[in-house]
Every structure is written in structure tokens, then in C-alpha cells.
Amino acid sequence: MITRILFVCLGNICRSPAAEAVLIHKIRAKGISDSFVVDSAGTGGWHVGSQADQRMRDAAKRRGVEIISKARQITIEDLNDFDLILTMDTDNYEVVKSMSMETDTLTSAVIKPFLTYAQNTRLTEVPDPYYGGEEGFDQVLDLLEDACDGLLVDL
Ligand code: 4NP
């Protein structure tokens, strides 16, 4: 069985492409890549086609994680093409939930805040690092690694 996972943030240039890359890195290391489709998208469309933010790519690379995805905006089709849609913050969650409620047809994806899977933090949202300093990107990666580990235990 293949589990299809879509990570969602606002711009799809910081948090969700990093989550995608961290999960891909972990499933490769475990030799279970064939059981997953992993992707990411943004609720906003400003950065469509762009590579992930250089600061996020550099912070990930220091951990041996390569972020190669290009930004795209979430579509209604994603709500059926993926099994699990994991959102980074409350705004993203609300946007994806309302997309699923506004369509005429029933959608199949389960939509959840990603940090529900994290075991070593009390945060419920992955902070947006875009306007902050370098350390914000490392904090994001720590949270994403924690939640990816929890997700892989849960699946
Ligand atoms: P992300 O971060 O949602 O983690 O990709 C952001 C990237 C860009 C912007 C906001 C958040 N922006 O306003 O352009």
C-alpha cells in the first residue's frame, strides 16, 4: 500500500518543502520510499515555480537534507490525490479545511496539523521563519524532524 502525503504551508518555500525533504530523507534511510508519495504545496500562490528559500535550503543541507522541490499552490484535486494533508499552522489548516468544505463533492484526504505527530514540543504550529533570523530555520527543522519521526511511528 502506498501512503500519499502532502505538506502545506503558506508560501511553499520554507516550512512545507523542508517537511517534504525531511520525510523523504527519513524514508530513504529506512528503505521504505516505495511505500510513499510525498509532496508539498502552499495555500498562497506568490512563489509558484520558485525554489525553496536559500536560508531554508542551507539549514537543511547542514543536516544532510536536500530540498529540491519547486513551489506550487494547493488545488482542489490535491484533496483527493493525497491520503494525508499535513498543515504547518492554524491558518493553513483553516484554508485547507474550508477548501474541502466548499467543494460540491466529498474529498477523501485526512487534514491534520503536522505537529500533532511531534513528541518533543508543546508547540502546535510550526513558526513561519520567513521574516526572522537564521536560528528560526533550525528551529523549524527540529520541529519537522520530531513530527516526521512521530508520523513514521504512527503509520
Ligand atoms: P512558508 O514561509 O509558508 O513556510 O513557505 C513563507 C514564505 C513566504 C511568505 C510567507 C511565508 N511571504 O509572505 O512571501
Side-chain angles (χ1 to χ4, degrees), residues 26-100:
K26 287 184 184 288
I27 60 179
R28 276 199 191 132
K30 288 178 185 283
I32 54 172
S33 302
D34 289 352
S35 302
F36 293 90
V37 170
V38 186
D39 195 3
S40 66
T43 55
W46 313 282
H47 298 283
V48 167
S50 299
Q51 281 196 303
D53 187 288
Q54 186 70 53
R55 298 163 296 174
M56 192 80 251
R57 282 189 285 142
D58 289 346
K61 202 159 192 183
R62 287 196 289 275
R63 300 180 183 215
V65 175
E66 193 114 38
I67 304 178
I68 56 166
S69 66
K70 298 257 174 72
R72 74 172 179 88
Q73 191 168 15
I74 188 169
T75 64
I76 287 289
E77 288 74 33
D78 288 322
L79 300 173
N80 286 312
D81 288 348
F82 290 88
D83 302 304
L84 199 49
I85 298 183
L86 299 171
T87 54
M88 298 295 141
D89 64 32
T90 308
D91 283 349
N92 320 144
Y93 179 81
E94 297 296 342
V95 170
V96 179
K97 270 283 182 193
S98 37
M99 282 174 75
S100 78

Side-chain angles (χ1 to χ4, degrees), residues 8-17 41-43 46-47 53 55-56 88-89 92 126-131 137 140:
V8 174
C9 63
L10 175 60
N12 194 213
I13 56 167
C14 294
R15 293 164 292 175
S16 64
T43 55
W46 313 282
H47 298 283
D53 187 288
R55 298 163 296 174
M56 192 80 251
M88 298 295 141
D89 64 32
N92 320 144
V126 181
D128 183 347
Y130 191 66
Y131 294 107
F137 292 86
V140 165

